[in-house]
Amino acid sequence: MKPFPSIEGPPTLDLTIVIPAYNESKRLPVFLDVLFPYLDTVDYSYEIIVVDDGSKDNTAEVVHGYSKNHGSDVIRCMKLPANKGKGGAVRQGVLSSRGKEILFADADGATDINDLGKVRTSLQNLLESSKTQYGMAVGS
């Protein structure tokens, strides 16, 4: 198994989606089954990192099933040995991201993925208007 890359390196993809997950084996497939058809329509490169935050259920095995179907370069599971909390899980996923842009989304799909285009447009407008390479857009 290859180690996860580091955010310290140059981005090799356009977007990373980080999904923190703790005992989400039931809800995660519902979200992923909406997410993948949406991502099939985009014209940019992406990866999905599901951070299993010390789950007691089979969250990691669910993600591995998606990796078999979509490829481990598209969706990967980072399994933390102990629960670090949502913030800790998001942090670990972000630090291992290969995307120029990083989105984090909850495993329950509470945020409509169809709004991703709006968030990306806002971020790109911010970066262009501020003449900086760093920015943050929040959609909730």
Side-chain angles (χ1 to χ4, degrees):
M1 183 180 310
K2 294 188 303 190
F4 274 84
S6 168
I7 197 170
E8 299 295 323
T12 57
L13 299 169
D14 295 314
L15 176 68
T16 295
I17 300 173
V18 175
I19 304 173
Y22 179 72
N23 294 335
E24 295 287 0
S25 64
K26 301 273 191 273
R27 295 194 299 180
L28 186 60
V30 175
F31 180 53
L32 293 176
D33 289 345
V34 171
L35 182 59
F36 275 110
Y38 174 84
L39 292 173
D40 286 343
T41 68
V42 302
D43 62 350
Y44 48 84
S45 60
Y46 63 87
E47 70 176 342
I48 300 166
I49 300 174
V50 178
V51 183
D52 182 338
D53 191 19
S55 295
K56 305 292 185 222
D57 68 0
N58 65 333
T59 296
E61 288 79 11
V62 168
V63 178
H64 291 303
Y66 281 87
S67 292
K68 286 179 184 173
N69 291 334
H70 297 278
S72 60
D73 58 323
V74 173
I75 180 167
R76 295 176 291 154
C77 182
M78 173 183 282
K79 186 158 179 60
L80 302 180
N83 183 270
K84 305 280 186 193
K86 184 176 181 177
V90 170
R91 180 179 185 272
Q92 290 301 312
V94 167
L95 289 173
S96 298
S97 297
R98 297 181 291 168
K100 180 178 178 187
E101 298 172 1
I102 302 168
L103 168 77
F104 104 77
D106 289 330
D108 65 0
T111 302
D112 186 353
I113 198 61
N114 292 302
D115 289 336
L116 177 58
K118 295 176 192 173
V119 174
R120 289 188 80 229
T121 298
S122 294
L123 180 59
Q124 290 163 356
N125 290 342
L126 170 69
L127 296 176
E128 289 171 11
S129 67
S130 65
K131 307 259 190 274
T132 183
Q133 60 182 355
Y134 302 105
M136 186 163 109
V138 178
S140 177

